[in-house]
Amino acid sequence: MVWLAIIGLLTLCHSGIAHRTKFPDGFTFGVATAAHQIEGAWNISGKSENVWDRLTHSRPELIADGTNGDVATDSYHRYQEDVDALAYLGVDFYRLSLSWSRILPSGRNNYINPDGIRYYNALLDALAEKNIEPLVTLFHWDLPQSLQDLGGWANPKMIDFFRDYADFCFREFGDKIKSWITINEPYEICEDGYGDEKKAPAIDSHGVGNYLCSDTLLKAHAEVFHLYNETYREKQNGTIMISINSIWYEPSDPENTEQVTLAETANQFKFGWFAHPIFTEQGGYPAVMVENIARESMQEGLTKPRLQQFDDYWIQRIKGTSDFLGINHYTTFLVTGPGVDPTAKSPSWLKDTGAVTTMEVGEDSASEWLRVVPAGFGNLLRWCKSSYNDPPIYITENGFSDRGTLEDYGRIKYLNDYLTEILNVIYEDNVRVLGYALWTLVDNFEWRAGFSERFGVYYVDITQPDRPRTPKLSAEYYRALVATRELPQDERFFDQARL
Ligand SMILES: *[C@@H]1O[C@H](CO)[C@@H](O)[C@H](O)[C@H]1NC(C)=O
Ligand SMILES: *[C@@H]1O[C@H](CO)[C@@H](O)[C@H](O)[C@H]1NC(C)=O
Ligand SMILES: *[C@@H]1O[C@H](CO)[C@@H](O)[C@H](O)[C@H]1NC(C)=O
């Protein structure tokens, strides 16, 4: 033992940096999913239509392989198989989302669907039986279509609808759920859903609808936080946060000061759009966003900017409304210079940034937008520490897509390299990362990519009625990681030919 320790010490000294592989005590591991991507049962047991049902049925040509979430992985009927898979992985927590249209089919709280309540209680009880903590997202993109018909997140009335829905969920499930997420990925909801056609409801109101959405969404998030904080927290003793996705921007030439400035602008537009109002001392939208959009709007001949700063009431009301910073992270893009990005519509969020960007960096995945750039993750986390006053952080999603192979060395390498970045920022920069949720448990309905991009650590054969789940090599890797709290070194996890 002594000899081993000495050899270990010599190795550390030799490499200069202690290459840590062990996670600190108390660090938690989980897996994340979203209701619409796995549940199926889209039109039974009282569930109503949501915006993804509508989009996939009315415009199937927008989905890469023409599939939809009608059955998905049938988790509505097969949730016990999911829970057994989670137990096999040994995770501390399971991040899942509630389907609003399954619980409140009209979108409002005038009618409660008993089958929806039964389903989530059964799932929560099955998790409790295996000692797996639920981390529950109230809204993961599947808005009831009836509320979209009223304008969805572009309608300020959504603040009340969302609060009423959350109120019901806290009351009904709050004794079983200690950790809540209000909203998953506000940028993707607003920009991709209201400023583009990349996500449902595919309202391509670029440069306008996206900002109406963010005004409403941030207020709705804050109201739900305050409701929990004031009415439920003391009784239920839980926590509540928001999960923000980041594509991290770096200058393509780090020596180019103009690019460095523009990358910071792009990060303020992307992550700061939703993080700055909640996590800074100052509050409100980032100044650079307000300024750029005011300037662009004037040039377009508008008399009012397309995005305006919140008034002081709302700046104060939104500030500080998240117990943790929830980060979903997958990839990094590069900023190559100033100007109008060739892919930007006019007006649009991208044009408003004033930056030209490229995703030509790192190895690719099955997703066009996902390149493997582990170092960008470390840079994002250090930036969050310095920009947001050293918040406690949960990584609420991180993962890799391929076409569905069982020997998924690409996924394992991705996870291993991104988890190494987390260890580095914890030990070397004292970034307070407290837990990690891998995206995702089972190959699922990956939104507009359908089933053509596979993110699961379990393979799912969607051609079979019983949707059989088969663990991939990455499931064994994650299981070993969770069991030891240490990055697995076993060479069977690493493709020797590729190293
Ligand atoms: C539910 O949707 C399926 C298609 O996924 C369809 O075949 C079936 O008829 C629908 N059932 C009802 C009750 O509308
Ligand atoms: C509240 O939860 C924390 C852990 O999340 C626990 O340490 C504490 O004892 C709980 N307090 C009450 C009053 O249940
Ligand atoms: C949450 O409630 C506590 C106790 O009432 C209060 O001190 C705190 O300011 C509230 N948090 C926010 C962000 O309003």
Side-chain angles (χ1 to χ4, degrees):
M1 275 318 278
V2 175
W3 278 110
L4 281 179
I6 291 171
I7 292 166
L9 204 62
L10 287 173
T11 317
L12 289 183
C13 295
H14 183 69
S15 66
I17 311 164
H19 183 64
R20 312 260 204 157
T21 56
K22 183 123 184 129
F23 284 83
D25 289 343
F27 191 95
T28 56
F29 289 98
V31 169
T33 62
H36 187 78
Q37 295 179 272
I38 60 169
E39 284 181 3
W42 83 279
N43 61 354
I44 62 165
S45 298
K47 179 182 159 295
S48 71
E49 186 188 29
N50 67 40
V51 292
W52 278 93
D53 297 320
R54 175 66 64 90
L55 186 76
T56 52
H57 295 151
S58 63
R59 301 177 71 187
E61 72 282 1
L62 290 183
I63 312 302
D65 57 3
T67 58
N68 54 45
D70 289 5
V71 181
T73 63
D74 200 22
S75 289
Y76 185 71
H77 298 109
R78 296 174 199 287
Y79 67 87
Q80 188 61 52
E81 290 173 44
D82 292 345
V83 174
D84 291 344
L86 292 161
Y88 180 77
L89 296 173
V91 290
D92 305 304
F93 69 93
Y94 178 41
R95 180 181 169 209
L96 63 115
S97 81
L98 303 176
S99 160
W100 188 337
S101 62
R102 192 181 296 291
I103 293 171
L104 304 178
S106 73
R108 291 169 294 113
N109 58 3
N110 56 332
Y111 170 70
I112 289 138
N113 176 27
D115 279 350
I117 309 309
R118 259 197 293 281
Y119 170 66
Y120 289 113
N121 275 319
L123 172 56
L124 292 167
D125 292 345
L127 289 170
E129 189 133 314
K130 305 281 189 187
N131 279 320
I132 300 167
E133 281 282 329
L135 164 58
V136 175
T137 310
L138 287 163
F139 183 71
H140 200 126
W141 303 0
D142 43 359
L143 190 69
Q145 182 61 40
S146 57
L147 299 184
Q148 186 54 47
D149 292 343
L150 302 175
W153 290 103
N155 179 353
K157 190 73 188 159
M158 270 294 294
I159 300 165
D160 291 346
F161 296 147
F162 187 53
R163 186 176 41 205
D164 290 347
Y165 160 62
D167 193 14
F168 177 79
C169 294
F170 294 149
R171 198 169 346 117
E172 183 67 31
F173 303 117
D175 57 332
K176 296 177 179 169
I177 297 169
K178 297 296 164 219
S179 310
W180 295 93
I181 292 170
T182 54
I183 292 172
N184 178 69
E185 296 192 356
Y187 171 93
E188 281 65 21
I189 295 165
C190 292
E191 174 58 22
D192 293 353
Y194 293 81
D196 206 328
E197 295 194 330
K198 290 180 188 161
K199 307 264 153 58
I203 310 281
D204 192 10
S205 172
H206 40 87
V208 179
N210 50 341
Y211 300 132
L212 294 179
C213 170
S214 67
D215 280 351
T216 306
L217 189 146
L218 278 160
K219 291 172 183 173
H221 155 80
E223 289 307 321
V224 166
F225 175 93
H226 289 297
L227 170 69
Y228 189 78
N229 199 40
E230 281 153 29
T231 309
Y232 293 95
R233 194 197 287 277
E234 203 182 308
K235 272 196 305 254
Q236 299 183 348
N237 189 27
T239 63
I240 184 161
M241 66 173 152
I242 190 167
S243 282
I244 304 176
N245 186 39
S246 181
I247 284 169
W248 172 245
Y249 290 94
E250 302 215 343
S252 86
D253 172 10
E255 305 292 313
N256 179 324
T257 52
E258 188 176 37
Q259 281 185 18
V260 171
T261 305
L262 278 166
E264 172 65 17
T265 299
N267 286 319
Q268 291 298 342
F269 263 82
K270 176 88 198 191
F271 199 78
W273 185 4
F274 296 94
H276 195 279
I278 300 172
F279 295 97
T280 61
E281 203 50 47
Q282 190 187 7
Y285 290 122
V288 68
M289 268 192 101
V290 174
E291 285 159 21
N292 280 17
I293 296 166
R295 194 181 55 238
E296 290 287 317
S297 302
M298 253 172 65
Q299 284 167 11
E300 292 150 19
L302 295 168
T303 54
K304 278 192 196 139
R306 288 176 278 103
L307 178 87
Q308 285 178 288
Q309 186 56 279
F310 291 111
D311 63 20
D312 196 53
Y313 173 81
W314 280 108
I315 288 178
Q316 299 308 325
R317 187 84 180 148
I318 295 168
K319 244 175 60 175
T321 56
S322 193
D323 296 332
F324 307 99
L325 174 56
I327 300 178
N328 295 357
H329 179 74
Y330 293 87
T331 199
T332 292
F333 289 1
L334 299 181
V335 168
T336 56
V340 181
D341 194 281
T343 64
K345 295 171 183 166
S346 187
S348 66
W349 172 90
L350 185 53
K351 185 161 183 259
D352 291 335
T353 66
V356 180
T357 64
T358 174
M359 39 182 115
E360 295 299 315
V361 53
E363 277 188 54
D364 55 14
S365 66
S367 310
E368 189 213 356
W369 55 270
L370 202 177
R371 298 298 187 106
V372 184
V373 194
F377 191 23
N379 292 338
L380 164 70
L381 290 169
R382 282 183 284 269
W383 181 83
C384 284
K385 179 185 170 83
S386 62
S387 302
Y388 303 119
N389 193 27
D390 194 16
I393 293 172
Y394 276 93
I395 306 306
T396 42
E397 283 183 27
N398 174 242
F400 176 84
S401 65
D402 57 25
R403 298 289 175 202
T405 174
L406 288 178
E407 301 214 312
D408 53 342
Y409 295 113
R411 175 166 297 104
I412 293 171
K413 182 157 178 20
Y414 178 99
L415 296 174
N416 203 68
D417 289 352
Y418 275 65
L419 285 160
T420 299
E421 289 295 324
I422 295 180
L423 287 169
N424 288 344
V425 302
I426 290 175
Y427 291 120
E428 287 166 29
D429 307 287
N430 296 313
V431 181
R432 296 196 284 154
V433 186
L434 306 178
Y436 174 90
L438 182 157
W439 183 270
T440 181
L441 183 63
V442 288
D443 288 341
N444 63 25
F445 174 68
E446 191 54 37
W447 312 112
R448 281 195 52 191
F451 286 86
S452 70
E453 297 171 11
R454 303 293 186 111
F455 278 89
V457 294
Y458 277 74
Y459 176 79
V460 178
D461 184 351
I462 58 157
T463 65
Q464 302 296 320
D466 59 347
R467 300 295 192 274
R469 288 124 161 91
T470 309
K472 303 176 186 177
L473 192 56
S474 58
E476 305 301 338
Y477 167 88
Y478 203 53
R479 173 178 152 95
L481 166 67
V482 176
T484 60
R485 310 279 146 171
E486 185 157 16
L487 294 179
Q489 308 293 311
D490 189 334
E491 62 183 36
R492 79 190 161 116
F493 294 130
F494 301 96
D495 182 359
Q496 298 307 315
R498 281 182 49 167
L499 285 177

